[in-house]
Amino acid sequence: MDPGTALELVKHGVTLLFLDVPQYTLLGIDTQMFSVGPSFKGIKMIPPGIHFVYYSSSTREGKEFSPVIGFFIDVGPSEVIVRKWDKQEERLVKASEDEEERYIQAVKNLEFDRNLGPYNLSHYEEWKQLSNFITKSVKERLEPIGGEITVECEDDVVRSSSANKTPMENALDKQLKAGNSATSIGKSQRKGCYYTPIPRVVKRKGVSGTELTSLNLDKTQLLETLLAKEYGGSEDLLLGEVQFSFIAFLMGQSLEAFFQWKSLVSLFLGCTEAPFKTRTQLFTKFIRVIYYQLKYGLQKDRIGESVLPLLDDSWLSADSFLDRLCKDFFSLFEDGSVVDGDLLSWTRKFKELLENNLGWEFQPCSAIEEDDEFAPQVEIIGDEA
């Protein structure tokens, strides 16, 4: 990059000024991770928009790390965010208004430029694929009071969910909590995120047993009810919560976020009518969302890169909720009469990703296994008698 272009990016990009952060602290933004050195004071050249910032302090030797603290930001061109390290609480806090103004001006005068690491723009498209439905309204709707997301504040969530956790989820619980105890942040009054409650079982008065069974076998009616009551009819708001919870889990190591992501994925993959009749475009967008989530999380060369565990075979095993739901969902493409071309294409890609990266085996589905690049947008699977 030539100096002129770099200077323009510095001036018009977003800057995070993080002062007095201890050496060896792991600090990330989006899909990028930095290990704090003695001269590190933040990150520059960040594109405007939604981002997720997260960090984990360590012992002096850099061998043990505290639980991750993360927060979403929504920033405009040339904006500067200032945070200072609080030694007692071992976390980033806001500076006073007077200090903030002084530091912002210093950043704009390029006084800290040598101490700021550049945002790697080659990874920006990857981040957009993970966050394109997260808007300011999604962020404000879901984030906790104070904005900080951390597993340290989720003991109640973990306990209340323990009865329903599978062995795989218990392993995840241990993975996120074991070995991350170099320090312990104060819980104070911080609470969890304001996720949408997703019923595991549909209960309705005045409905026959047969109808109730049908409602629980096909989550289409539940999806429609939630869209209308909780999301104001906005499909993108729902997809934004799928992305928000995944990022909070994967990068923020939030167990609460994992359970919400699991609930939302279970809702989508538990629908049998909506993908083909009422919400085809929504399901096309959802499959694309979860495809990019797992494609990023399952990159083998990233596992073990830091203390932040990415998705791996240990919790995406063949006995996981996702494997069972995917088998049922993929089978619908064998039974359905008409499948939208875009939905079929993205479902095929999603299925191949799981087979290639996790070694999962699914029964061949005629629609999914078909591979005709000249196929029309709507494909006829079979004729009904």
Side-chain angles (χ1 to χ4, degrees), residues 62-74:
K63 294 180 180 179
E64 291 186 345
F65 293 85
S66 65
V68 173
I69 300 176
F71 55 92
F72 284 89
I73 56 173
D74 179 27

Side-chain angles (χ1 to χ4, degrees), residues 17 23 25-26 62 71 108 120 145 185 188 190 251 319:
L17 184 66
Q23 193 170 349
T25 296
L26 290 173
F71 55 92
K108 293 183 176 180
N120 190 336
I145 296 172
I185 59 170
S188 63
R190 282 174 283 167
M251 298 160 189
D319 68 343

Side-chain angles (χ1 to χ4, degrees), residues 23-38:
Q23 193 170 349
Y24 304 119
T25 296
L26 290 173
L27 191 147
I29 178 169
D30 305 340
T31 63
Q32 303 172 42
M33 178 67 69
F34 298 81
S35 180
V36 173

Side-chain angles (χ1 to χ4, degrees), residues 178-192:
N180 282 354
S181 56
T183 59
S184 180
I185 59 170
K187 294 181 183 179
S188 63
Q189 299 300 312
R190 282 174 283 167
K191 303 295 182 183

Side-chain angles (χ1 to χ4, degrees), residues 34-305:
F34 298 81
S35 180
V36 173
S39 301
F40 181 89
K41 295 190 185 301
I43 306 166
K44 61 184 177 180
M45 301 166 63
I46 303 167
I50 291 284
H51 297 278
F52 187 66
V53 180
Y54 49 106
Y55 59 92
S56 174
S57 60
S58 78
T59 57
R60 290 184 179 180
E61 299 79 20
K63 294 180 180 179
E64 291 186 345
F65 293 85
S66 65
V68 173
I69 300 176
F71 55 92
F72 284 89
I73 56 173
D74 179 27
V75 282
S78 304
E79 191 169 340
V80 179
I81 292 181
V82 180
R83 295 287 188 273
K84 296 181 69 176
W85 188 260
D86 185 306
K87 290 184 179 180
Q88 185 173 353
E89 294 196 26
E90 296 196 314
R91 66 186 183 97
L92 291 167
V93 298
K94 291 183 178 180
S96 66
E97 288 188 19
D98 290 343
E99 279 186 315
E100 188 176 46
E101 286 300 320
R102 188 157 45 87
Y103 284 128
I104 288 174
Q105 194 55 51
V107 168
K108 293 183 176 180
N109 292 338
L110 304 181
E111 293 177 27
F112 289 104
D113 195 57
R114 291 185 177 182
N115 305 106
L116 301 173
Y119 183 98
N120 190 336
L121 293 171
S122 66
H123 292 295
Y124 183 55
E125 184 59 32
E126 185 175 53
W127 168 247
K128 291 299 292 181
Q129 291 169 345
L130 295 173
S131 64
N132 59 312
F133 288 105
I134 303 178
T135 60
K136 182 179 181 180
S137 59
V138 170
K139 170 183 172 292
E140 293 177 346
R141 183 172 180 268
L142 301 176
E143 68 183 353
I145 296 172
E148 291 184 342
I149 299 170
T150 172
V151 75
E152 276 283 295
C153 301
E154 297 175 7
D155 284 348
D156 292 340
V157 175
V158 174
R159 281 198 297 270
S160 64
S161 304
S162 59
N164 299 320
K165 284 194 291 187
T166 64
M168 176 273 296
E169 291 163 3
N170 283 316
L172 173 64
D173 185 356
K174 292 179 182 178
Q175 181 186 21
L176 291 180
K177 289 200 152 188
N180 282 354
S181 56
T183 59
S184 180
I185 59 170
K187 294 181 183 179
S188 63
Q189 299 300 312
R190 282 174 283 167
K191 303 295 182 183
C193 293
Y194 292 91
Y195 293 123
T196 305
I198 310 295
R200 291 181 63 248
V201 178
V202 179
K203 299 178 181 179
R204 191 170 297 176
K205 292 182 179 179
V207 176
S208 69
T210 302
E211 290 175 309
L212 201 57
T213 300
S214 178
L215 287 172
N216 280 286
L217 288 175
D218 180 3
K219 303 288 188 181
T220 295
Q221 188 56 53
L222 176 58
L223 174 64
E224 293 294 340
T225 301
L226 288 169
L227 273 169
K229 291 180 63 176
E230 303 290 348
Y231 299 96
S234 172
E235 295 181 348
D236 288 0
L237 205 59
L238 170 57
L239 292 169
E241 187 162 346
V242 176
Q243 291 184 330
F244 183 104
S245 58
F246 181 81
I247 290 165
F249 154 60
L250 188 68
M251 298 160 189
Q253 291 194 34
S254 165
L255 282 169
E256 179 189 37
F258 169 73
F259 289 125
Q260 183 65 12
W261 180 75
K262 174 188 173 183
S263 295
L264 291 166
V265 170
S266 299
L267 171 66
F268 273 101
L269 296 181
C271 292
T272 57
E273 181 180 320
F276 306 104
K277 295 182 179 179
T278 58
R279 296 285 178 177
T280 298
Q281 289 188 338
L282 169 60
F283 272 80
T284 302
K285 290 187 286 188
F286 165 72
I287 294 298
R288 184 172 180 173
V289 164
I290 194 173
Y291 169 82
Y292 282 123
Q293 288 178 341
L294 297 187
K295 181 184 178 184
Y296 172 72
L298 292 170
Q299 293 179 59
K300 298 296 183 182
D301 59 337
R302 292 180 181 274
I303 295 174
E305 191 176 79

Side-chain angles (χ1 to χ4, degrees), residues 252-383:
Q253 291 194 34
S254 165
L255 282 169
E256 179 189 37
F258 169 73
F259 289 125
Q260 183 65 12
W261 180 75
K262 174 188 173 183
S263 295
L264 291 166
V265 170
S266 299
L267 171 66
F268 273 101
L269 296 181
C271 292
T272 57
E273 181 180 320
F276 306 104
K277 295 182 179 179
T278 58
R279 296 285 178 177
T280 298
Q281 289 188 338
L282 169 60
F283 272 80
T284 302
K285 290 187 286 188
F286 165 72
I287 294 298
R288 184 172 180 173
V289 164
I290 194 173
Y291 169 82
Y292 282 123
Q293 288 178 341
L294 297 187
K295 181 184 178 184
Y296 172 72
L298 292 170
Q299 293 179 59
K300 298 296 183 182
D301 59 337
R302 292 180 181 274
I303 295 174
E305 191 176 79
S306 68
V307 294
L308 307 183
L310 298 184
L311 311 188
D312 60 32
D313 298 358
S314 67
W315 71 271
L316 278 180
S317 57
D319 68 343
S320 73
F321 80 99
L322 191 59
D323 176 64
R324 296 191 301 271
L325 287 170
C326 284
K327 284 178 179 175
D328 292 339
F329 185 76
F330 295 151
S331 71
L332 298 177
F333 290 79
E334 190 174 16
D335 302 333
S337 58
V338 179
V339 181
D340 175 82
D342 285 342
L343 176 59
L344 179 60
S345 175
W346 279 103
T347 302
R348 182 189 297 132
K349 288 181 69 174
F350 180 44
K351 177 175 178 285
E352 290 173 352
L353 176 74
L354 297 176
E355 290 174 333
N356 295 336
N357 287 62
L358 293 172
W360 289 358
E361 295 181 0
F362 302 101
Q363 290 295 323
C365 298
S366 57
I368 294 180
E369 297 306 319
E370 220 170 44
D371 191 14
D372 181 2
E373 63 178 309
F374 301 107
Q377 279 299 99
V378 176
E379 299 188 15
I380 307 300
I381 306 307
D383 297 323

